[in-house]
Amino acid sequence: MQHNGLWWGIFCVVLSASAGAVDTKALDIIRRADEVRSPNAPFRYTVTVLEYKEGSAEPANKQVLDISMRFIKPKNGVPADARSLARFVYPPRDKGKVMLSDGYDLWFYTPELRRPVPVSREQRLLGQISNGDVIVTNFEYAYASTLEGEEPCGDKTCYRLSLIRQSDAVTYPRVIYWVEKGSDYRPYKAAYYSLDNQLLKSVLYQNYQQVLGTYRPTEIVVQNARYAKGYSVMKYSDVRLESLPEYHFTKEAIQRGTR
Amino acid sequence: MKCPAAILVFSASVLSSGVEADCLAADELAANADVVLTGQASYVNKKTSLWRIQGRNPYTADNLYNDIGLKLSSACAVVENRLDLDFSFYGLGYYPALSVGAFEKDNHRAKMLIDQLRLSYTLSDSVRLEGGKLSAPQGTFFLRSPATLLTNFYAAFKPTRLYDPEMKAVYSESFWGARLTKAFRDYAFSLTVAPQLTHIDHEYQSSSNWSANERSNSSERYLLSYTDYRLKNHTSSVNLMLGDSPSLAIADSYNYTPQWVINAEVAFHTAQQWRHFSAKKAADVQAWQFPSSLYSTENKQGIELAIGGQYTTNRFSVLGLEYYFQSEGYSKSEWREQTDFIRYLNKETGYRMLDRAFDNYKYLMGSEISNTSNKGMLQGKHYVNAYASFLSDDKSTLQPYLAMNIVDGSALLGIHHLKPLKGMNDKAEIYSGLYSALGRKDSEFALFGDTLGVYVGFKYHL
């Protein structure tokens, strides 16, 4: 219940801000870019996380997760829901491990621990990738956005947006977000900053391919500012719409084995 | 085998309502398959104990064992988003270098375990019905969880086993039954039914030599469970067991911080949970009346209590400490009655028939005592358990542990090391370890002799 309240709170902040001095153009860009990054319906995908050490073309480590997203906007009395389930499928020894994300809370379960334990989104998963990075977050609801201007990005022009988190529960306090100008609103790059405005990590959205009717990034390159030597890549595949019953997204169910 | 038949009828009726062919065509089964080959070599040294059979030690002092295991598991949707199938089978076998002792003989050196064979039917967005051979959930405590009311018996071999920690849950026989679960974000409710399919005919044998149904479905059990996640940082649950032996358990896990969790569980039982030695029947033997059994379960109320703390680091290393108490555990004098009776039975009478009868009683006692721990139970009153799991950068883990009977000072301790091998597509792991049971000859953990075991093994995901 507290999560529903939280999400409603976020919606209310957004809506009330929309009615006031909020940058509606920025909000529109963020919303459209969110729709490019992920389908606007419950879906499932595979993410392959590859860690590259400095100077090496071959990944030093690999992890594969099978992720189901249950993202439901509040509509006609149906409460908002933002849960996801990440099943570890590679390396084979990790089978049975599960991460359950509920709003901004994250729980990790492995049979060795007997019970799901709370973990932070910032906690390192593999290489430069944190737990929270593998789960698609919706910028529209998590951040208040301001359009700062336009900048060249690669051979295109991008909107430069400043995003400030709307709740302390959001992992990164501030994000500078570049979205390609044009009809597609393709995310180009995001830079995540700490409270004291230090760059934490930057991500590049790459390899756009037709996925579920829209060109979407299928690779995200992550560079952690603290570990500048090397980088990590998240490759998305097997994206399909799938609405699993709510049962699967509970702490009870992950202890009984997931499908 | 009434239960499997019911499941077939159930699945047939569901299938008739519409079938997605992927599962039956085995595509999804192959995609989700997990096939793991495990091999292990171990050396065991056992000191002499109280027990003598035909005047000799019923255990080999030194022996080498080769163990092998093959796991096959997979899952698929029989009807998409409606009916799921998942299973997990294990083939196990071992070979000793030397002949095993009288107390170590198994009926078979190879067996197959059905760890899980489950059909899950989604009744609604939050309600699920499972049927088949189901594994009982493990509790929060590693030594013994009072709130785990549905316990089954050990299924593998007597003198050896695979020491991979993942096998611990597999070795507890899963049960034929059904479970109805209603799970929401804030709470979950479940009803588990484990019907009686047989009764135990061979109490005088170790549970590893019983049939699978004897180990899992020899009593009628209905378990009602409620778990609540609403209280901030608490996971509270109530379990009510109805059937042959009613019990009530209350449990709470409190996350003081995300890293620190404090677990507490208490269970109230209307009857004893394991078979106890009867001093009266022992006296009958000494009066030349020979009862068919020396152990029984009485309708005596009891309480179990466990409290513990666990610290999980940000890198998932774990440290834990537990205390466990059970009111039905043997007192010092009750335990002494049992060990004194073993000594009595060891005395040679000069009559061959009588000596053989006394040996048979010792077989019976050895099996009954083993079967108590085979059910996951302990026999004393007070215990502490300390454990840790240190995870290294190379993903290897080092897991030391120590369980001690506080009253008699006997202990089980050991250390397990698991190391994934680089290359081979991350499919191989090697493990090694050492374990020991220490204590006086008449203490709980050393009752069958001070033991030292070392092992090395591999796991390969095919």
Side-chain angles (χ1 to χ4, degrees):
Chain A
M1 296 298 283
Q2 61 193 18
H3 299 291
N4 284 343
L6 174 67
W7 280 100
W8 271 115
I10 293 167
F11 278 100
C12 289
V13 168
V14 172
L15 290 174
S16 60
S18 305
V22 162
D23 189 334
T24 50
K25 169 109 180 167
L27 186 63
D28 184 54
I29 295 167
I30 297 291
R31 184 179 295 142
R32 286 166 182 261
D34 277 350
E35 286 171 7
V36 171
R37 287 194 303 130
S38 59
N40 202 0
F43 65 106
R44 187 166 180 167
Y45 58 99
T46 300
V47 59
T48 303
V49 182
L50 301 168
E51 180 189 10
Y52 291 87
K53 304 279 189 189
E54 186 184 25
S56 175
E58 290 299 312
N61 285 301
K62 175 180 166 184
Q63 187 129 41
V64 182
L65 297 109
D66 172 17
I67 300 178
S68 291
M69 297 287 298
R70 178 183 168 87
F71 192 84
I72 297 169
K73 294 182 179 182
K75 196 175 178 183
N76 301 330
V78 177
D81 203 344
R83 281 184 272 182
S84 59
L85 191 64
R87 311 160 193 84
F88 290 64
V89 293
Y90 185 92
R93 62 176 177 271
D94 283 348
K95 282 183 179 175
K97 294 178 179 175
V98 184
M99 266 197 309
L100 173 69
S101 165
D102 188 352
Y104 298 120
D105 293 335
L106 198 58
W107 297 79
F108 177 71
Y109 173 75
T110 166
E112 290 167 26
L113 293 170
R114 302 288 181 97
R115 286 283 183 272
V117 293
V119 292
S120 78
R121 286 178 171 266
E122 300 94 321
Q123 196 170 321
R124 181 170 168 269
L125 176 70
L126 183 80
Q128 324 263 316
I129 308 292
S130 305
N131 290 330
D133 293 337
V134 293
I135 294 159
V136 177
T137 45
N138 198 306
F139 285 163
E140 179 189 351
Y141 303 124
Y143 293 94
S145 50
T146 311
L147 180 59
E148 290 190 332
E150 296 176 10
E151 286 181 0
C153 51
D155 56 355
K156 304 222 167 124
T157 302
C158 282
Y159 296 114
R160 179 190 159 105
L161 300 124
S162 173
L163 278 58
I164 306 293
R165 69 179 176 192
Q166 307 218 47
S167 155
D168 287 346
V170 178
T171 311
Y172 301 106
R174 182 171 167 253
V175 182
I176 301 295
Y177 191 28
W178 289 266
V179 177
E180 283 182 15
K181 197 178 171 189
S183 57
D184 285 352
Y185 294 90
R186 291 182 180 187
Y188 176 76
K189 181 182 172 184
Y192 297 89
Y193 290 86
S194 64
L195 272 175
D196 57 356
N197 222 21
Q198 297 293 310
L199 178 65
L200 297 172
K201 65 172 66 173
S202 57
V203 306
L204 281 168
Y205 301 92
Q206 296 182 339
N207 198 16
Y208 275 80
Q209 290 183 16
Q210 186 82 240
V211 177
L212 297 176
T214 305
Y215 277 94
R216 304 180 194 276
T218 58
E219 283 184 20
I220 297 179
V221 180
V222 180
Q223 176 81 60
N224 192 312
R226 275 197 290 176
Y227 310 104
K229 295 175 181 174
Y231 61 97
S232 296
V233 179
M234 293 188 289
K235 294 189 174 188
Y236 295 85
S237 59
D238 200 17
V239 184
R240 72 263 194 204
L241 296 178
E242 183 186 83
S243 181
L244 284 179
E246 182 189 5
Y247 173 90
H248 292 272
F249 299 87
T250 61
K251 281 179 246 176
E252 189 75 11
I254 62 174
Q255 296 171 69
R256 297 195 193 282
T258 56
R259 190 181 77 79
Chain B
M1 301 300 283
K2 295 168 196 168
C3 210
I7 290 157
L8 287 174
V9 171
F10 166 71
S11 53
S13 64
V14 171
L15 288 171
S16 64
S17 65
V19 176
E20 291 287 330
D22 282 0
C23 185
L24 302 177
D27 293 349
E28 200 180 346
L29 277 179
N32 292 326
D34 187 22
V35 183
V36 186
L37 176 67
T38 307
Q40 178 189 285
S42 62
Y43 161 77
V44 182
N45 171 266
K46 266 185 179 289
K47 303 288 184 207
T48 54
S49 64
L50 284 183
W51 304 89
R52 314 298 291 172
I53 295 289
Q54 294 180 328
R56 293 202 300 269
N57 182 0
Y59 289 95
T60 44
D62 298 280
N63 212 340
L64 290 164
Y65 298 95
N66 294 303
D67 283 80
I68 194 158
L70 184 69
K71 174 193 177 186
L72 171 62
S73 70
S74 191
C76 66
V78 181
V79 179
E80 199 63 41
N81 283 339
R82 184 60 67 181
L83 182 66
D84 298 330
L85 168 73
D86 71 285
F87 60 82
S88 173
F89 303 142
Y90 286 81
L92 302 170
Y94 78 97
Y95 185 78
L98 302 171
S99 295
V100 294
F103 271 12
E104 299 171 300
K105 283 182 180 156
D106 276 307
N107 290 350
H108 305 284
R109 286 187 185 162
K111 60 173 68 178
M112 197 187 93
L113 301 181
I114 303 173
D115 180 45
Q116 187 139 282
L117 178 57
R118 176 173 65 167
L119 277 167
S120 303
Y121 186 65
T122 302
L123 290 167
S124 75
D125 206 32
S126 58
V127 182
R128 171 166 273 228
L129 176 64
E130 299 162 287
K133 199 151 199 264
L134 310 175
S135 46
Q138 293 188 289
T140 49
F141 290 90
F142 283 79
L143 190 59
R144 157 84 190 131
S145 273
T148 303
L149 298 178
L150 209 156
T151 53
N152 299 318
F153 285 90
Y154 174 77
F157 306 111
K158 286 164 84 172
T160 182
R161 62 186 175 89
L162 293 168
Y163 294 101
D164 174 13
E166 283 179 23
M167 293 300 293
K168 190 178 175 187
V170 175
Y171 283 146
S172 178
E173 185 77 50
S174 51
F175 63 95
W176 290 106
R179 184 188 293 127
L180 181 70
T181 308
K182 190 173 177 71
F184 292 103
R185 172 190 277 139
D186 295 332
Y187 67 91
F189 175 84
S190 73
L191 168 64
T192 306
V193 178
Q196 181 174 12
L197 301 177
T198 186
H199 60 273
I200 299 168
D201 282 332
H202 311 97
E203 298 279 12
Y204 54 87
Q205 283 191 6
S206 169
S207 65
S208 56
N209 286 332
W210 297 352
S211 70
N213 282 352
E214 281 180 300
R215 289 190 288 261
S216 62
N217 288 83
S218 54
S219 60
E220 191 174 308
R221 295 174 293 179
Y222 305 91
L223 179 66
L224 282 158
S225 297
Y226 175 79
T227 305
D228 198 292
Y229 301 102
R230 278 173 285 204
L231 206 57
K232 191 170 172 58
N233 298 329
H234 285 267
T235 301
S236 308
S237 61
V238 180
N239 297 324
L240 175 65
M241 172 72 86
L242 299 171
D244 293 346
S245 177
S247 297
L248 174 71
I250 301 165
D252 186 56
S253 290
Y254 170 57
N255 276 95
Y256 177 64
T257 66
Q259 289 81 22
W260 271 109
V261 62
I262 296 163
N263 298 310
E265 295 184 0
V266 61
F268 307 94
H269 305 293
T270 56
Q272 290 178 331
Q273 296 301 290
W274 42 276
R275 289 162 63 83
H276 288 242
F277 177 73
S278 165
K280 184 181 171 303
K281 288 181 178 173
D284 288 346
V285 174
Q286 293 176 65
W288 310 110
Q289 297 165 22
F290 298 104
S292 60
S293 174
L294 300 172
Y295 291 77
S296 61
T297 307
E298 294 180 18
N299 285 328
K300 283 185 181 172
Q301 291 183 355
I303 184 170
E304 280 183 283
L305 170 75
I307 186 157
Q310 181 171 292
Y311 183 80
T312 308
T313 70
N314 287 338
R315 303 193 53 133
F316 292 109
S317 286
V318 174
L319 295 131
L321 184 66
E322 302 172 346
Y323 165 76
Y324 171 77
F325 165 79
Q326 61 174 340
S327 63
E328 72 177 277
Y330 289 125
S331 66
K332 272 186 178 177
S333 60
E334 287 169 333
W335 181 257
R336 196 178 309 114
E337 284 169 352
Q338 183 170 238
T339 53
D340 284 350
F341 190 63
I342 298 167
R343 287 192 180 96
Y344 170 80
L345 294 174
N346 279 335
K347 287 177 189 162
E348 290 191 18
T349 62
Y351 298 98
R352 210 167 146 189
M353 285 279 286
L354 201 55
D355 287 343
R356 194 177 296 166
F358 281 7
D359 278 350
N360 286 339
Y361 273 120
K362 280 180 277 185
Y363 272 115
L364 182 150
M365 290 180 76
S367 296
E368 291 270 14
I369 293 168
S370 296
N371 287 341
T372 303
S373 52
N374 286 353
K375 201 182 176 189
M377 301 294 179
L378 296 149
Q379 297 176 74
K381 283 190 183 292
H382 302 276
Y383 295 85
V384 288
N385 181 36
Y387 59 90
S389 177
F390 301 106
L391 184 63
S392 306
D393 284 344
D394 65 355
K395 305 286 182 192
S396 65
T397 52
L398 189 69
Q399 298 172 310
Y401 56 88
L402 166 71
M404 179 180 272
N405 179 323
I406 299 171
V407 176
D408 68 18
S410 64
L412 288 172
L413 66 156
I415 190 162
H416 180 84
H417 182 247
L418 176 73
K419 183 174 173 55
L421 293 180
K422 272 283 174 196
M424 289 194 281
N425 229 356
D426 281 330
K427 287 182 171 180
E429 299 162 82
I430 54 168
Y431 64 88
S432 57
L434 178 150
Y435 65 90
S436 184
L438 299 170
R440 294 192 318 270
K441 278 190 175 179
D442 58 356
S443 64
E444 181 182 5
F445 292 129
L447 187 64
F448 295 106
D450 273 356
T451 306
L452 174 69
V454 290
Y455 56 87
V456 59
F458 71 89
K459 287 171 75 178
Y460 187 76
H461 296 261
L462 298 165

